[in-house]
Amino acid sequence: LGDVYKRQLAFSPDGSRLVSGAKDGSLFLRDAAGRPHCVLEPDPNKPPVHALAFSPDVSAVLAGGPFGWLGYRQDAAEQWGVF
C-alpha cells in the first residue's frame, strides 16, 4: 500500500461486510469471503475519510470527512453512487 494507509474500518451490523476508508479518499467494501469491492477509487487529490458507518439495513455505506457526510449505495447494475 505504500504510504497510503487505512484510516477507518467499520463492520456491518450483521457482520457480513467490512468497509475501509483511507487518507487517499478511497473506500473498499469486503464481503464475508474477503473479496474487495471498490466503492471509491484511490485519488491523492481527494480528501481523507475520517469516519465510516453502515445503514441499519446494510444497504448503504456512510463516509465522513472534511467534505461532511456522504452516503453510497449500489444500484441495480451494482454500480456505487452517492444518494
Side-chain angles (χ1 to χ4, degrees):
L1 292 175
D3 66 349
V4 176
Y5 57 93
K6 300 297 179 197
R7 294 192 69 138
Q8 299 296 327
L9 298 172
F11 284 97
S12 62
D14 65 2
S16 68
R17 298 178 187 165
L18 173 72
V19 65
S20 62
K23 72 176 187 176
D24 64 0
S26 63
L27 285 177
F28 284 90
L29 183 70
R30 292 189 181 270
D31 59 23
R35 292 181 299 257
H37 305 276
C38 184
V39 177
L40 290 176
E41 295 285 337
D43 181 344
N45 297 317
K46 286 184 184 174
V49 174
H50 292 292
L52 293 167
F54 278 89
S55 62
D57 67 357
V58 191
S59 68
V61 173
L62 305 171
F67 45 82
W69 284 92
L70 295 174
Y72 298 91
R73 181 175 282 144
Q74 275 185 312
D75 62 18
E78 297 188 7
Q79 298 297 313
W80 287 93
V82 176
F83 68 91

